[in-house]
Amino acid sequence: FSAAAMCLIVGNMDGDLKLFEFTNESPGLPWRQNREYLKDIKLSGYSHGVIAPWMGSGLLITGESSGKIKAFITGAGDSNTPWKEVKDFFRGVRIHYHSSPAIFDIDGDGAWELITGADDGRIYAYRIRTVENGLPVWEEIKGLFGNVLVQGFSTPSLVRYQNALYLFTGQENGDIRIFEADLPLENGTRYDHKSLVFNEKHFPNNLKMQSHSSPSVMLNGEMIEVVSGDYDGNLRHFLCGGS
């Protein structure tokens, strides 16, 4: 779910990913599928995808039922094959079934970190320690989401709102749970991840899907927008905040 391009990447249970672009051409049907963009990507069972910047190119990060997290890059030089898998891009990242990757700049340094859910209900985070031969060397950010445990299946997405980070995560029964970490004021825009403690916030809300909710969040002005899918193929759009 991208604010800049207004795109949706939708996964499903057969390993396909679909890209939808927002247009103003038809008020009744504002989303149009780009059938060519991800046509060559085929994953194992459940699929989940997000696009990130990497060294001047677009990087497609995918999760799947097997737990493998894969990277595909654009600009391979063949217009008929726009995506090329980058082998070993996520070497060193532990594999958990039903991986659900997301990206977010957790410590405010301008570079994204990898956050992924799994079938054990936990959230895992990794950052790039260095780059060797064009490939990142990953290290786990241990303890960051130690207070977060959801029911059986987790799909994380993060947003910064005012002076806090909010983690939205789906779970197996379709509920979307929200965790908050206050940001330290004294360190400006950058902060040590060790200073962040995520605790569940029991806001009154109707963020409810069918089983296996998969939220994606973004900040739009003073509103938090949530788009979520679920196992039944539903897509729903929620607005939060704006007091």
Side-chain angles (χ1 to χ4, degrees):
F1 185 36
S2 167
M6 286 302 292
C7 296
L8 282 171
I9 295 178
V10 180
N12 54 35
M13 296 303 294
D14 62 9
D16 291 331
L17 291 172
K18 298 179 181 180
L19 177 77
F20 294 86
E21 300 168 324
F22 184 82
T23 74
N24 290 320
E25 297 176 2
S26 175
L29 296 171
W31 293 96
R32 179 179 61 195
Q33 184 179 357
N34 184 331
R35 297 183 181 276
E36 297 298 312
Y37 194 68
L38 298 173
K39 67 177 182 178
D40 297 319
I41 305 297
K42 184 67 176 181
L43 304 172
S44 169
Y46 162 85
S47 59
H48 192 92
V50 62
I51 292 179
W54 179 255
M55 295 186 174
S57 297
L59 186 76
L60 173 66
I61 302 171
T62 66
E64 58 182 37
S65 294
S66 71
K68 291 181 180 178
I69 300 177
K70 299 178 181 178
F72 301 83
I73 199 163
T74 58
D78 182 354
S79 60
N80 295 318
T81 310
W83 295 100
K84 179 181 179 180
E85 185 174 357
V86 183
K87 298 291 186 180
D88 296 325
F89 190 91
F90 291 109
R91 183 176 54 190
V93 174
R94 287 193 298 161
I95 301 301
H96 301 269
Y97 288 112
H98 243 62
S99 53
S100 301
I103 62 168
F104 193 77
D105 180 6
I106 295 173
D107 53 13
D109 66 353
W112 54 265
E113 282 79 38
L114 173 71
I115 302 99
T116 182
D119 69 341
D120 61 1
R122 295 287 186 185
I123 307 293
Y124 299 89
Y126 293 83
R127 62 183 172 189
I128 298 173
R129 187 174 71 239
T130 187
V131 177
E132 297 179 356
N133 300 319
L135 293 176
V137 177
W138 296 94
E139 65 178 358
E140 186 173 1
I141 306 175
K142 295 183 179 180
L144 178 61
F145 297 111
N147 290 344
V148 179
L149 176 62
V150 301
Q151 182 194 95
F153 164 92
S154 58
T155 309
S157 187
L158 289 107
V159 66
R160 178 172 180 169
Y161 181 71
Q162 297 179 353
N163 198 50
L165 297 182
Y166 289 91
L167 168 69
F168 288 67
T169 182
Q171 64 177 19
E172 198 162 312
N173 71 350
D175 288 345
I176 298 173
R177 292 167 63 179
I178 305 172
F179 298 80
E180 178 189 30
D182 293 329
L183 297 177
L185 296 175
E186 65 274 11
N187 294 333
T189 57
R190 295 191 61 176
Y191 34 85
D192 189 337
H193 71 272
K194 294 179 182 178
S195 66
L196 302 177
V197 179
F198 283 88
N199 292 305
E200 187 163 10
K201 304 296 290 186
H202 297 282
F203 297 117
N205 64 65
N206 62 340
L207 297 178
K208 174 70 177 178
M209 303 291 295
Q210 300 299 320
S211 63
H212 287 63
S213 51
S214 300
S216 181
V217 300
M218 59 169 278
L219 187 63
N220 186 358
E222 289 299 309
M223 302 291 291
I224 297 175
E225 296 197 39
V226 182
V227 172
S228 182
D230 63 23
Y231 188 86
D232 290 356
N234 300 300
L235 280 175
R236 292 176 183 158
H237 182 200
F238 303 89
L239 297 176
C240 310
S243 56

